[in-house]
Each structure stands twice: as structure tokens, then as C-alpha cells.
Amino acid sequence: MIRLGPARRARELRLREESPLRRVDPRVKLALSLGASLAVMLPLNRLVFFMGLYALLLLWARLIDEAATQVWRLKWILILLFLLDWVVIGLDLAVIITLRLVLLAGTFTVFFSTTTPGELRLALEWLRVPHRYAFSVSLAFQSIGLLDDEWRSIREAQQSRGAWAPPRMAEGWRGFRPSGLVAQVRELVALSVPAVVLAVKHAWAMNEAACARGFDSPRRRPYRRLTMNRLDWLLLGGALATGVALVWVRL
Amino acid sequence: MILEAEVGLGSAVSAEQVTYGYFGTGGGALTGVSLAVAPGEIVLITGPSGSGKSTLARCLTGLIPHLYHGEMKGVCSVDGLSTVETPLWELADRAGLVFQNPSEQLLATSVEEEIVFGLENLGLAAGEIRARLDEALARFGLLEMRRRSPQTLSGGEQQKLALAAMTARRAPVLVLDEPLSMLDTTAATELVAHLTQLARSGTAVVLCEHRAEYLENIPGVRVLKMGEQVLDTDGLLAAPFQSRAGGPSCLTVTGLGVRLAGHRVLHDLTFEVPAGQVLSIVGRNGVGKTTLLRALTGLQSHEGTVLVDGDRPGLGMVFQNADLQLFNATVREEILYRLPEPDMELYGWLLQALGLGSYEQMPPLLLSEGEKKRVALATVLMRGPRHGLLLDEPAVGQDAAHKRMLITILRALANAGQIVIITTHDLTLAAQADRLLLLGPQGFVADGPVARVLEDHAAWERLGLVVPDWVRPDRDGDASGVWR
């Protein structure tokens, strides 16, 4: 019996449908994230206090685990920077820089975990970003989730042709035993070339598909428009008040 | 090359002496093509891989020369407008293009938004967009999935969505580049029915397709051929595959099950495949055929056991998307990659049999889809998998001659004592195997010699697949399948 490995987590950009922020206007969520990110200007004790308050917002929005996941993904960078700052400058600065990075990683969870690429496009267009750029950004946002799957597919496809392989796969192929730095560089090339080619090809195919449906037409009229409800106004007021307060405290 | 000499004034779309070469290739992808299609007409363009069908589709819709900067001669017009002088967005209002790979042409995060995207670009009022959206969803049976992400749909559903998104724009011309290649027989038959209906309502339909058999017998369809079949196998010797030492082996699969993202994809599959047999696995889009092959190679975690003669199997696999497997600078380097003592006799034979001889010094990633697939097959065969070979949708992008050669190679491999398994939607290819296995959502629906399974109408009905009239087994059906 072959044991099931840990269930492969669907890494595509996952929308948190259960979050009360899911139905909130994307412009408000952008304001919330940007407003909260101003807290990086605060000194250590106030920064810690603000992070506590922000954690309460995440808790209410049922996003605390998602924010923790985002921070956890950065763990090695955070540890490295912390150690570097500690050695080069000092412990106080190392702590505050690390906390600021943690805050920045957490603040945009509010936006990215509850907003679809289409909503992002509408928010950008409202901010007067030209349609072609807003559309490109939303497509890029949409494609992030596919990168991990694509990388895994390439790795498997390479193993299946015997170009390179983990020890278990290598048993079945004649004359192939990867080892050493040169072999590892070759493996990296074998993975990177298709990854780049696929990314370019995919982008080009989407460009063709968009143009074949009249993309860039000067006659374009958007079908959906963003509208604000009471909760949106309330949160926007909160975001603006927080931003002003943070700037005022800092000054 | 003149496909149709009469380029009339009343044509919805036309090409007159069109020649095109892609930038930097130095060769002509299209040479002197003339064609005219009237409103309400269906024109089927067939031809071998690399004959320029996709290039012609791009020329007819204006993507060439607007997005491609090669050298173009001749004139293409859509609805009386020159494709060179008219802006692309204006041409798109008159001629739509549906591409081969449905997943690469879907741009939005929901089915609804996908259709709305093209309608917004027409500058329609919100009420008109809503009406056309509802009509397109109903017409293509997409109402229940209107809020789903296009990436979660099956290949057939994705292609239907691509067609719905395009036809909602009501362009008088519709060009389709191999839209059937990734579809199962039911989805392909449905798509052809939609196209016939569109033509009846006055749309000019141009279809570039290898799987011509779906349309050839429909009354009123004009069939045009591009290029000559080029596969020089004169003097090709018998396949130099080395017979496997140690007697016949057998792949034994017991209780195989796979769960993906919390959903059960494969459930308790038990079967055997003896060496020397070519097995075809057929099922609807999204039923788990690729997952089954990945599980057999050990790439996919699974329940149950997969063994060859009590040992872990050594099976090579050719993926559906050959781009994933290729990365070297030339076809030669690709096929001989890291082989310390390559069998040059086999190498030469593979080049000739797979029609790759003239591409030896070309970058494999610049070849057509069908050619790339053949290079990927050669790379796997040169390495000599220990027990056998798995091929995921090998017929996609292959013309009839290359499909015939493919089955010849697979049979030679089987005769050399290897296990050979293919998954395919192409029943003409599946019918050339020794044994056919029908896979449904709950497991195997039928298993046995091809002739017998093809006659099992109840099994096909349960599977939701139609068997078109032209599918006939190639062999006597005397090879006995082993199933439990």
C-alpha cells in the first residue's frame, strides 16, 4: 500500500468567501490596507499596540490564519534580515524593522484574500488607471496562483522523460544518475526554459484571445460599476480616520 | 496554393494570393492562398501539421499583420474591410477567432464575466449586454455554471464557453483553429451542431481542423485541403527496439484511488496490462485519465498498489503539453540529452519514423504542437523506459499519416515486450489499439478487445459518449484484455 502524501494544498489564489470583507467594496479594502500600512512610521511601542488592534480587525474578518500564512511564507527572509540588522546595527532596530515587514505582509491580506481580479480591475479603473493597464494587472494577479502548478507540472514532465529525476524515478532509466553542482545547474536549466517559454506563450495566447474579442476598443462601456453601501462607508471612514491619526501621531 | 479561386464581392471573408512568413523564420508559413467564404457557409480547411492552417486563421481575422510582424503579401478582407488598413478592434467586431486550447483563451474569473468581456468592448448598453449574456448562457447550456471559474470547467465546457463568448458578439464571420482537438466525441459533436446552427443563422464559419471526419459528411460543408501529406517513410527499416530481457512482464494495479483537493477523482481501480499489449483508455473530459497515468508513473500520490512483476514500475510518459518536457537548443540535443552512449541506430530510425529529419538542428520549442509532441516521444523512447510507455492525448495536433505512424511505433514497442498505454479522445486512434478501457466517474465502465467494447452501446451510453459512425477497429479484436 502506497501511503497518501500530505494532501496537496490548492495554492491557487483562494478567495475567503466566509469573510465579512468579501462583499465590501474593493476601493474600501484598498484604503484599509493602505491606511494600515502607514503604521510602519510608528515607534516600537505604538507599532506593537497598532498591530494588536489590526489583529482584532483580522479576527473579525476571519482572516487571521491567512495573514499568519502570508507572514510564515516570508519566515526565512524575516529571520535573515533580523539577524543581519541585529549584528550590523542593533537589537532594537532589528525588532522594529522585522515588525514593520510583518505588518506590511499582513495588511494587504485584507485586500488580496477577499478581492477577485475583476474587482481589482474595477478599483484600478475608478482610480483612473487606463483600462489596458488595469486589465493587465488583473490578469497578472489572476495568474499568480497558476505559477506553482505550472512549476510542478514541468518538474513532473521532466522526470517522466528521464531528463532528471529523484532517486526513485532514476531507477527506471538507463545511464542516468544526477549528482553534483553541474547536474544541479542542468536541472535548473531544464526547469527554467519551459517555465519562461510557457509564461511567454500563455501571455501571448491571452493577448491574442483578448484582441480577438475587441480589446482596446475605444467604444468600450463597462457593464459593472462599483457602488458603496453603509458598511463600505463605515469602513472607509475608519480607514481614513486611521490614516489621518497615524500621520498626526507621527508628526 | 489556391484553395478557392473565386474571390467574390459578396464574400463575408476572403483571402487573395496571401503569402506570409513569420519574423525571423526566413520561410513561408503560407504561400499564395486564395479563399472566399460566403455568409451562412461552413468551410472546413484540412491539411497536415505545419501546412499553415493556424497562420491562415490569423490572417483571416487580422491578428496577422496587427500582432505579428512578419512579411505579408496579398489581401485579406472581412466584411469588405481590408485586414491591413482596419484597426484590429474594428475587425474583431466582424470576425471572431476561437483557438485550439480553450484554457489559454479564457481571461476572466467567472463564466459570466468571460462572456461580458467581449460585449463590453462592443460598447453595448448594460441592458443589451444582460440580454445577450443570458441568451449565450442558455444556448450553450452554461446557465448553471455562470458563477464558476472557467479554470474549473472541463475541456469541453471551456471550449463551449469560448464559443459562447465569441458568438455573443454576433460577428458575421467565425474562424476556429482546431477547436475539436481536445474534446471528447460528445463535446465535439455538440460543438459541430452549434456551428451548423450558427451557419444557418447567416454566420460564415471557417474551421481549420485535423479531425475532419466530424464535418465531412454534413451537407453543405465545403472541404478545402492545404498542403501535401509529407511523411517520408520510404526504406524505413523495422523498429530497432531491443526486446526486453527476462520474459514477459505485467502491470498490476490494485485498488488504485486518488483524491485531489478533497474530491475523489479515481476510485478503487483494479486492472492488469500485460506487456505486448497496446491499451487505449477513453473517457469524458475531466474524468481523471491524466491523473490515472500520473498515478501509474508514481507522480501522483494514491491509494492502492501499482506494480510490475511485484516491483515498482519504470514507465516513461509523454505529456499532453509537450512544452513542459522540452528545453534544449536543437531537436538533436533534446533527443540525445545526457545519454552517455546513445543508440544512434534507434536515433536515426526515430527521426525518420517521426518525420523529424528536417528539423534536427531546429529549436524544438519553435516547432508546431504536433511536431513538439513527436520530439517529446523520441526523447522518452531514446532513454528506453524499463517497463513501458504512457502517452497522454498523443493524437492532438497530429495529422492522419503521423497518427498511423504513431500506432506503428507503439505496436513495435509492444512487440519488444513493453507495456503501452494511451489516453485519448480520438476514437480513430483508440480503435487501433489491442484493448479498450472505458473510464467513467465511478470507475471502469467497459474493458476488453476494441471491437467488442465499441459494440457495447450500453457502456458508451453510461459514459455519456457517442461513437461516431466512422470509428472502426483496425484489428480483429482477437487480443484478449485482462480485466477483473
Side-chain angles (χ1 to χ4, degrees):
Chain A
M1 166 79 76
I2 294 176
R3 283 183 179 277
L4 271 177
R8 187 165 58 85
R9 185 171 174 262
R11 286 184 196 274
E12 63 189 51
L13 222 52
R14 211 156 45 101
L15 271 188
R16 299 297 292 256
E17 293 289 347
E18 73 280 15
S19 170
L21 286 179
R22 172 70 195 97
R23 305 288 157 218
V24 168
D25 190 290
R27 293 166 295 183
V28 175
K29 288 183 276 190
L30 198 57
L32 272 174
S33 299
L34 290 171
S37 64
L38 289 175
V40 295
M41 301 183 298
L42 294 174
L44 183 59
N45 54 348
R46 287 179 181 172
L47 177 63
V48 172
F49 178 70
F50 182 85
M51 286 177 76
L53 288 179
Y54 194 72
L56 287 178
L57 173 74
L58 290 173
L59 212 56
W60 167 76
R62 298 182 200 168
L63 293 171
I64 194 84
D65 55 333
E66 192 65 31
T69 306
Q70 297 301 333
V71 173
W72 183 249
R73 282 182 184 160
L74 296 174
K75 59 183 179 295
W76 295 117
I77 296 173
L78 292 172
I79 290 169
L80 192 69
L81 279 176
F82 177 80
L83 292 174
L84 204 66
D85 288 337
W86 189 5
V87 171
V88 176
I89 306 167
L91 183 60
D92 283 1
L93 201 72
V95 170
I96 198 162
I97 287 176
T98 309
L99 285 179
R100 282 171 179 172
L101 287 172
V102 168
L103 178 75
L104 282 177
T107 49
F108 284 92
T109 304
V110 163
F111 185 78
F112 289 113
S113 298
T114 60
T115 308
T116 65
E119 290 162 351
L120 169 67
R121 178 172 56 81
L122 288 173
L124 291 173
E125 284 175 4
W126 182 82
L127 290 168
R128 299 282 178 266
V129 174
H131 172 64
R132 61 169 16 226
Y133 299 115
F135 179 72
S136 305
V137 170
S138 70
L139 268 189
F141 179 39
Q142 194 176 317
S143 305
I144 289 170
L146 304 174
L147 291 178
D148 196 48
D149 269 353
E150 207 142 80
W151 191 256
R152 181 181 50 80
S153 301
I154 294 167
R155 204 178 53 227
E156 289 179 357
Q158 300 292 330
Q159 288 171 8
S160 300
R161 63 166 275 196
W164 66 276
R168 171 180 140 176
M169 288 297 295
E171 290 169 9
W173 305 94
R174 292 195 300 226
F176 177 69
R177 291 286 184 274
S179 63
L181 187 64
V182 175
Q184 284 173 26
V185 170
R186 279 179 170 172
E187 287 170 5
L188 191 65
V189 171
L191 285 172
S192 306
V193 171
V196 171
V197 168
L198 279 174
V200 172
K201 199 178 153 193
H202 196 62
W204 186 253
M206 284 184 139
N207 181 36
E208 282 195 313
C211 288
R213 278 188 269 161
F215 179 64
D216 242 4
S217 163
R219 295 199 311 234
R220 180 178 179 271
R221 281 168 72 177
Y223 175 57
R224 296 186 203 287
R225 290 180 199 279
L226 294 170
T227 50
M228 299 273 282
N229 62 27
R230 197 185 296 172
L231 178 62
D232 293 335
W233 285 113
L234 196 69
L235 287 169
L236 182 63
L240 291 175
T242 307
V244 171
L246 285 170
V247 173
W248 182 73
V249 166
R250 185 59 190 154
L251 292 175
Chain B
M1 177 195 315
I2 296 176
L3 295 177
E4 178 60 51
E6 294 169 23
V7 179
L9 285 174
S11 57
V13 61
S14 65
E16 203 173 345
Q17 285 299 311
V18 174
T19 297
Y20 185 77
Y22 287 98
F23 180 77
T25 57
L30 213 57
T31 313
V33 171
S34 294
L35 159 83
V37 185
E41 191 181 16
I42 299 181
V43 171
L44 168 66
I45 298 174
T46 64
S49 308
S51 59
K53 297 189 296 297
S54 298
T55 306
L56 178 61
R58 290 189 178 109
C59 286
L60 292 177
T61 50
L63 294 184
I64 291 175
H66 288 281
L67 294 185
Y68 291 82
H69 303 292
E71 196 178 332
M72 183 176 173
K73 287 177 189 161
V75 181
C76 278
S77 17
V78 177
D79 211 13
L81 298 176
S82 156
T83 56
V84 178
E85 289 156 15
T86 313
L88 189 51
W89 62 266
E90 207 176 328
L91 289 171
D93 291 357
R94 292 167 169 80
L97 175 57
V98 176
F99 299 85
Q100 176 181 9
N101 188 341
S103 68
E104 283 187 351
Q105 59 189 302
L106 301 175
L107 309 161
T109 48
S110 76
V111 166
E112 228 175 49
E113 283 177 34
E114 192 64 50
I115 296 172
V116 165
F117 173 82
L119 298 177
E120 285 181 323
N121 294 333
L122 287 172
L124 300 173
E128 176 66 14
I129 291 183
R130 202 172 306 119
R132 288 201 193 188
L133 168 67
D134 290 340
E135 190 203 328
L137 289 170
R139 189 177 193 180
F140 288 90
L142 298 167
L143 273 168
E144 283 179 10
M145 49 190 87
R146 63 191 298 163
R147 307 229 184 277
R148 276 177 63 185
S149 161
Q151 299 302 335
T152 66
L153 305 180
S154 72
E157 290 164 345
Q158 284 182 335
Q159 197 59 287
K160 259 200 285 191
L161 173 57
L163 194 61
M166 195 54 84
T167 54
R169 288 169 56 80
R170 297 182 187 164
V173 177
L174 184 64
V175 182
L176 302 101
D177 185 13
E178 294 200 41
L180 307 178
S181 62
M182 295 186 181
L183 302 187
D184 60 48
T185 51
T186 302
T189 309
E190 282 173 5
L191 195 74
V192 169
H194 280 304
L195 295 177
T196 316
Q197 202 181 347
L198 275 173
R200 270 195 219 113
S201 64
T203 307
V205 178
V206 180
L207 197 75
C208 304
E209 185 60 60
H210 278 309
R211 294 170 80 180
E213 57 274 11
Y214 280 93
L215 288 114
E216 276 173 339
N217 297 324
I218 293 180
V221 173
R222 188 152 54 105
V223 184
L224 305 173
K225 289 196 166 62
M226 283 184 79
E228 296 295 320
Q229 202 78 261
V230 184
L231 180 59
D232 181 14
T233 53
D234 286 349
L236 186 69
L237 302 171
F241 296 125
Q242 288 172 12
S243 291
R244 202 177 157 272
S249 53
C250 184
L251 172 72
T252 309
V253 179
T254 313
L256 187 141
V258 174
R259 291 180 76 90
L260 287 178
H263 297 283
R264 180 157 288 285
V265 181
L266 299 174
H267 181 71
D268 197 21
L269 300 180
T270 296
F271 62 105
E272 288 179 358
V273 188
Q277 188 178 70
V278 179
L279 168 68
S280 279
I281 300 176
V282 171
R284 295 216 63 175
N285 286 111
V287 80
K289 299 186 296 294
T290 302
T291 307
L292 173 58
L293 293 191
R294 293 180 65 240
L296 296 182
T297 55
L299 294 170
Q300 174 65 55
S301 306
H302 59 83
E303 298 159 351
T305 56
V306 178
L307 299 169
V308 174
D309 304 337
D311 196 5
R312 187 174 282 157
L315 300 165
M317 180 168 164
V318 181
F319 277 52
Q320 180 169 354
N321 183 357
D323 284 335
L324 301 170
Q325 294 186 286
L326 308 175
F327 52 89
N328 280 290
T330 65
V331 167
R332 183 185 171 88
E333 286 173 37
E334 192 71 69
I335 298 174
L336 298 178
Y337 180 70
R338 300 196 72 193
L339 288 171
E341 291 171 16
D343 179 346
M344 294 312 286
E345 186 195 353
L346 177 61
Y347 172 75
W349 187 87
L350 284 172
L351 280 188
Q352 192 185 357
L354 294 168
L356 297 170
S358 52
Y359 304 124
E360 208 178 349
Q361 296 306 323
M362 273 186 73
L365 286 166
L366 289 186
L367 301 179
S368 75
E369 292 306 312
E371 288 157 353
K372 279 188 277 194
K373 259 185 139 71
R374 301 204 293 272
V375 175
L377 173 61
T379 64
V380 177
L381 291 176
M382 274 304 288
R383 289 203 170 266
R386 192 153 54 112
H387 294 125
L389 179 67
L390 314 179
L391 299 102
D392 192 11
E393 295 292 348
V396 172
Q398 309 296 346
D399 52 50
H402 285 106
K403 274 193 262 186
R404 276 195 297 275
M405 182 44 76
L406 176 70
I407 205 74
T408 305
I409 292 172
L410 298 185
R411 202 166 290 292
L413 202 61
N415 290 340
Q418 297 269 320
I419 294 156
V420 181
I421 304 176
I422 57 177
T423 64
T424 184
H425 289 308
D426 191 323
L427 293 191
T428 51
L429 180 74
Q432 314 296 310
D434 301 313
R435 174 181 164 202
L436 187 55
L437 206 157
L438 303 187
L439 179 63
Q442 306 302 323
F444 295 132
V445 175
D447 182 359
V450 172
R452 203 182 72 193
V453 174
L454 282 175
E455 292 298 317
D456 188 349
H457 303 296
W460 289 95
E461 203 169 309
R462 254 185 300 161
L463 206 62
L465 282 178
V466 293
V467 183
D469 298 341
W470 65 82
V471 178
R472 292 281 174 272
D474 186 46
R475 288 157 70 84
D476 309 331
D478 57 348
S480 58
V482 182
W483 63 97
R484 283 187 261 172

PDB file of all heavy atoms in Angstrom, chain B residues 360-381:
ATOM      1  N   GLU B 360      16.222  18.531 -37.388  1.00  0.00           N
ATOM      2  CA  GLU B 360      17.244  18.095 -36.433  1.00  0.00           C
ATOM      3  C   GLU B 360      17.976  19.253 -35.766  1.00  0.00           C
ATOM      4  O   GLU B 360      18.297  19.185 -34.581  1.00  0.00           O
ATOM      5  CB  GLU B 360      18.236  17.190 -37.162  1.00  0.00           C
ATOM      6  CG  GLU B 360      18.891  16.196 -36.248  1.00  0.00           C
ATOM      7  CD  GLU B 360      19.839  15.278 -37.002  1.00  0.00           C
ATOM      8  OE1 GLU B 360      19.821  15.290 -38.259  1.00  0.00           O
ATOM      9  OE2 GLU B 360      20.617  14.573 -36.336  1.00  0.00           O
ATOM     10  N   GLN B 361      18.250  20.316 -36.525  1.00  0.00           N
ATOM     11  CA  GLN B 361      19.029  21.428 -35.966  1.00  0.00           C
ATOM     12  C   GLN B 361      18.141  22.604 -35.548  1.00  0.00           C
ATOM     13  O   GLN B 361      18.629  23.685 -35.249  1.00  0.00           O
ATOM     14  CB  GLN B 361      20.077  21.909 -36.983  1.00  0.00           C
ATOM     15  CG  GLN B 361      21.134  20.865 -37.325  1.00  0.00           C
ATOM     16  CD  GLN B 361      21.848  20.296 -36.094  1.00  0.00           C
ATOM     17  OE1 GLN B 361      22.116  21.015 -35.131  1.00  0.00           O
ATOM     18  NE2 GLN B 361      22.132  18.997 -36.130  1.00  0.00           N
ATOM     19  N   MET B 362      16.850  22.385 -35.501  1.00  0.00           N
ATOM     20  CA  MET B 362      15.941  23.489 -35.129  1.00  0.00           C
ATOM     21  C   MET B 362      15.628  23.450 -33.634  1.00  0.00           C
ATOM     22  O   MET B 362      15.615  22.389 -33.020  1.00  0.00           O
ATOM     23  CB  MET B 362      14.627  23.371 -35.907  1.00  0.00           C
ATOM     24  CG  MET B 362      14.681  24.050 -37.258  1.00  0.00           C
ATOM     25  SD  MET B 362      13.080  24.036 -38.030  1.00  0.00           S
ATOM     26  CE  MET B 362      12.199  25.240 -37.053  1.00  0.00           C
ATOM     27  N   PRO B 363      15.356  24.617 -33.023  1.00  0.00           N
ATOM     28  CA  PRO B 363      14.936  24.617 -31.621  1.00  0.00           C
ATOM     29  C   PRO B 363      13.577  23.923 -31.485  1.00  0.00           C
ATOM     30  O   PRO B 363      12.631  24.320 -32.179  1.00  0.00           O
ATOM     31  CB  PRO B 363      14.823  26.105 -31.263  1.00  0.00           C
ATOM     32  CG  PRO B 363      15.497  26.843 -32.363  1.00  0.00           C
ATOM     33  CD  PRO B 363      15.436  25.977 -33.581  1.00  0.00           C
ATOM     34  N   PRO B 364      13.465  22.934 -30.648  1.00  0.00           N
ATOM     35  CA  PRO B 364      12.199  22.180 -30.585  1.00  0.00           C
ATOM     36  C   PRO B 364      11.008  23.034 -30.185  1.00  0.00           C
ATOM     37  O   PRO B 364       9.888  22.787 -30.623  1.00  0.00           O
ATOM     38  CB  PRO B 364      12.473  21.103 -29.528  1.00  0.00           C
ATOM     39  CG  PRO B 364      13.735  21.478 -28.852  1.00  0.00           C
ATOM     40  CD  PRO B 364      14.492  22.371 -29.765  1.00  0.00           C
ATOM     41  N   LEU B 365      11.249  24.064 -29.387  1.00  0.00           N
ATOM     42  CA  LEU B 365      10.112  24.866 -28.923  1.00  0.00           C
ATOM     43  C   LEU B 365       9.532  25.765 -30.013  1.00  0.00           C
ATOM     44  O   LEU B 365       8.500  26.392 -29.806  1.00  0.00           O
ATOM     45  CB  LEU B 365      10.508  25.691 -27.695  1.00  0.00           C
ATOM     46  CG  LEU B 365      10.636  24.845 -26.417  1.00  0.00           C
ATOM     47  CD1 LEU B 365      11.346  25.586 -25.318  1.00  0.00           C
ATOM     48  CD2 LEU B 365       9.282  24.362 -25.932  1.00  0.00           C
ATOM     49  N   LEU B 366      10.230  25.842 -31.181  1.00  0.00           N
ATOM     50  CA  LEU B 366       9.677  26.625 -32.286  1.00  0.00           C
ATOM     51  C   LEU B 366       8.846  25.771 -33.243  1.00  0.00           C
ATOM     52  O   LEU B 366       8.294  26.276 -34.202  1.00  0.00           O
ATOM     53  CB  LEU B 366      10.801  27.313 -33.078  1.00  0.00           C
ATOM     54  CG  LEU B 366      11.522  28.468 -32.378  1.00  0.00           C
ATOM     55  CD1 LEU B 366      12.498  29.134 -33.342  1.00  0.00           C
ATOM     56  CD2 LEU B 366      10.535  29.507 -31.853  1.00  0.00           C
ATOM     57  N   LEU B 367       8.775  24.478 -32.972  1.00  0.00           N
ATOM     58  CA  LEU B 367       8.023  23.591 -33.870  1.00  0.00           C
ATOM     59  C   LEU B 367       6.522  23.686 -33.581  1.00  0.00           C
ATOM     60  O   LEU B 367       6.107  24.265 -32.572  1.00  0.00           O
ATOM     61  CB  LEU B 367       8.496  22.145 -33.674  1.00  0.00           C
ATOM     62  CG  LEU B 367       9.984  21.885 -33.931  1.00  0.00           C
ATOM     63  CD1 LEU B 367      10.307  20.422 -33.662  1.00  0.00           C
ATOM     64  CD2 LEU B 367      10.358  22.243 -35.371  1.00  0.00           C
ATOM     65  N   SER B 368       5.718  23.077 -34.479  1.00  0.00           N
ATOM     66  CA  SER B 368       4.271  23.063 -34.256  1.00  0.00           C
ATOM     67  C   SER B 368       3.951  22.119 -33.088  1.00  0.00           C
ATOM     68  O   SER B 368       4.805  21.329 -32.660  1.00  0.00           O
ATOM     69  CB  SER B 368       3.556  22.588 -35.507  1.00  0.00           C
ATOM     70  OG  SER B 368       3.699  21.193 -35.647  1.00  0.00           O
ATOM     71  N   GLU B 369       2.709  22.185 -32.595  1.00  0.00           N
ATOM     72  CA  GLU B 369       2.332  21.367 -31.433  1.00  0.00           C
ATOM     73  C   GLU B 369       2.536  19.877 -31.714  1.00  0.00           C
ATOM     74  O   GLU B 369       3.066  19.139 -30.883  1.00  0.00           O
ATOM     75  CB  GLU B 369       0.873  21.618 -31.052  1.00  0.00           C
ATOM     76  CG  GLU B 369       0.592  23.009 -30.506  1.00  0.00           C
ATOM     77  CD  GLU B 369       1.469  23.382 -29.332  1.00  0.00           C
ATOM     78  OE1 GLU B 369       1.590  22.568 -28.400  1.00  0.00           O
ATOM     79  OE2 GLU B 369       2.068  24.480 -29.349  1.00  0.00           O
ATOM     80  N   GLY B 370       2.110  19.442 -32.907  1.00  0.00           N
ATOM     81  CA  GLY B 370       2.233  18.037 -33.263  1.00  0.00           C
ATOM     82  C   GLY B 370       3.699  17.613 -33.335  1.00  0.00           C
ATOM     83  O   GLY B 370       4.072  16.535 -32.879  1.00  0.00           O
ATOM     84  N   GLU B 371       4.535  18.477 -33.909  1.00  0.00           N
ATOM     85  CA  GLU B 371       5.964  18.153 -34.041  1.00  0.00           C
ATOM     86  C   GLU B 371       6.633  18.095 -32.661  1.00  0.00           C
ATOM     87  O   GLU B 371       7.454  17.215 -32.391  1.00  0.00           O
ATOM     88  CB  GLU B 371       6.641  19.198 -34.932  1.00  0.00           C
ATOM     89  CG  GLU B 371       6.247  19.067 -36.398  1.00  0.00           C
ATOM     90  CD  GLU B 371       6.435  20.347 -37.205  1.00  0.00           C
ATOM     91  OE1 GLU B 371       6.760  21.406 -36.615  1.00  0.00           O
ATOM     92  OE2 GLU B 371       6.229  20.301 -38.418  1.00  0.00           O
ATOM     93  N   LYS B 372       6.270  19.026 -31.777  1.00  0.00           N
ATOM     94  CA  LYS B 372       6.858  19.023 -30.425  1.00  0.00           C
ATOM     95  C   LYS B 372       6.501  17.727 -29.693  1.00  0.00           C
ATOM     96  O   LYS B 372       7.322  17.160 -28.995  1.00  0.00           O
ATOM     97  CB  LYS B 372       6.340  20.237 -29.630  1.00  0.00           C
ATOM     98  CG  LYS B 372       7.082  21.518 -29.958  1.00  0.00           C
ATOM     99  CD  LYS B 372       6.699  22.637 -29.033  1.00  0.00           C
ATOM    100  CE  LYS B 372       5.452  23.312 -29.453  1.00  0.00           C
ATOM    101  NZ  LYS B 372       5.182  24.585 -28.800  1.00  0.00           N
ATOM    102  N   LYS B 373       5.280  17.299 -29.894  1.00  0.00           N
ATOM    103  CA  LYS B 373       4.849  16.050 -29.240  1.00  0.00           C
ATOM    104  C   LYS B 373       5.692  14.875 -29.727  1.00  0.00           C
ATOM    105  O   LYS B 373       6.047  13.984 -28.956  1.00  0.00           O
ATOM    106  CB  LYS B 373       3.384  15.789 -29.576  1.00  0.00           C
ATOM    107  CG  LYS B 373       2.432  16.171 -28.469  1.00  0.00           C
ATOM    108  CD  LYS B 373       1.039  15.747 -28.863  1.00  0.00           C
ATOM    109  CE  LYS B 373       0.299  15.162 -27.703  1.00  0.00           C
ATOM    110  NZ  LYS B 373      -0.092  16.113 -26.701  1.00  0.00           N
ATOM    111  N   ARG B 374       6.027  14.901 -31.021  1.00  0.00           N
ATOM    112  CA  ARG B 374       6.816  13.800 -31.572  1.00  0.00           C
ATOM    113  C   ARG B 374       8.256  13.851 -31.059  1.00  0.00           C
ATOM    114  O   ARG B 374       8.879  12.821 -30.819  1.00  0.00           O
ATOM    115  CB  ARG B 374       6.758  13.838 -33.108  1.00  0.00           C
ATOM    116  CG  ARG B 374       5.332  13.722 -33.643  1.00  0.00           C
ATOM    117  CD  ARG B 374       5.284  13.189 -35.051  1.00  0.00           C
ATOM    118  NE  ARG B 374       5.846  14.107 -36.027  1.00  0.00           N
ATOM    119  CZ  ARG B 374       5.170  15.072 -36.645  1.00  0.00           C
ATOM    120  NH1 ARG B 374       3.889  15.255 -36.363  1.00  0.00           N
ATOM    121  NH2 ARG B 374       5.746  15.840 -37.532  1.00  0.00           N
ATOM    122  N   VAL B 375       8.773  15.068 -30.861  1.00  0.00           N
ATOM    123  CA  VAL B 375      10.129  15.187 -30.275  1.00  0.00           C
ATOM    124  C   VAL B 375      10.104  14.633 -28.841  1.00  0.00           C
ATOM    125  O   VAL B 375      10.998  13.884 -28.431  1.00  0.00           O
ATOM    126  CB  VAL B 375      10.607  16.662 -30.264  1.00  0.00           C
ATOM    127  CG1 VAL B 375      11.951  16.780 -29.539  1.00  0.00           C
ATOM    128  CG2 VAL B 375      10.743  17.196 -31.685  1.00  0.00           C
ATOM    129  N   ALA B 376       9.060  14.990 -28.089  1.00  0.00           N
ATOM    130  CA  ALA B 376       8.960  14.511 -26.701  1.00  0.00           C
ATOM    131  C   ALA B 376       8.901  12.986 -26.670  1.00  0.00           C
ATOM    132  O   ALA B 376       9.532  12.335 -25.824  1.00  0.00           O
ATOM    133  CB  ALA B 376       7.731  15.112 -26.030  1.00  0.00           C
ATOM    134  N   LEU B 377       8.176  12.410 -27.635  1.00  0.00           N
ATOM    135  CA  LEU B 377       8.091  10.946 -27.705  1.00  0.00           C
ATOM    136  C   LEU B 377       9.478  10.357 -27.978  1.00  0.00           C
ATOM    137  O   LEU B 377       9.883   9.361 -27.348  1.00  0.00           O
ATOM    138  CB  LEU B 377       7.096  10.538 -28.802  1.00  0.00           C
ATOM    139  CG  LEU B 377       7.007   9.052 -29.137  1.00  0.00           C
ATOM    140  CD1 LEU B 377       6.555   8.250 -27.916  1.00  0.00           C
ATOM    141  CD2 LEU B 377       6.042   8.803 -30.299  1.00  0.00           C
ATOM    142  N   ALA B 378      10.201  10.990 -28.902  1.00  0.00           N
ATOM    143  CA  ALA B 378      11.552  10.490 -29.235  1.00  0.00           C
ATOM    144  C   ALA B 378      12.474  10.549 -28.016  1.00  0.00           C
ATOM    145  O   ALA B 378      13.267   9.628 -27.785  1.00  0.00           O
ATOM    146  CB  ALA B 378      12.136  11.319 -30.384  1.00  0.00           C
ATOM    147  N   THR B 379      12.380  11.623 -27.218  1.00  0.00           N
ATOM    148  CA  THR B 379      13.261  11.735 -26.040  1.00  0.00           C
ATOM    149  C   THR B 379      13.002  10.589 -25.067  1.00  0.00           C
ATOM    150  O   THR B 379      13.936  10.037 -24.486  1.00  0.00           O
ATOM    151  CB  THR B 379      13.050  13.075 -25.301  1.00  0.00           C
ATOM    152  OG1 THR B 379      11.726  13.126 -24.791  1.00  0.00           O
ATOM    153  CG2 THR B 379      13.308  14.270 -26.170  1.00  0.00           C
ATOM    154  N   VAL B 380      11.737  10.240 -24.895  1.00  0.00           N
ATOM    155  CA  VAL B 380      11.407   9.164 -23.950  1.00  0.00           C
ATOM    156  C   VAL B 380      11.865   7.818 -24.504  1.00  0.00           C
ATOM    157  O   VAL B 380      12.459   7.002 -23.787  1.00  0.00           O
ATOM    158  CB  VAL B 380       9.884   9.150 -23.654  1.00  0.00           C
ATOM    159  CG1 VAL B 380       9.536   7.982 -22.733  1.00  0.00           C
ATOM    160  CG2 VAL B 380       9.457  10.463 -23.014  1.00  0.00           C
ATOM    161  N   LEU B 381      11.627   7.596 -25.807  1.00  0.00           N
ATOM    162  CA  LEU B 381      11.994   6.305 -26.392  1.00  0.00           C
ATOM    163  C   LEU B 381      13.505   6.098 -26.408  1.00  0.00           C
ATOM    164  O   LEU B 381      13.991   4.984 -26.248  1.00  0.00           O
ATOM    165  CB  LEU B 381      11.425   6.190 -27.818  1.00  0.00           C
ATOM    166  CG  LEU B 381       9.901   6.062 -27.893  1.00  0.00           C
ATOM    167  CD1 LEU B 381       9.437   6.044 -29.340  1.00  0.00           C
ATOM    168  CD2 LEU B 381       9.424   4.803 -27.174  1.00  0.00           C
TER     169      LEU B 381
END
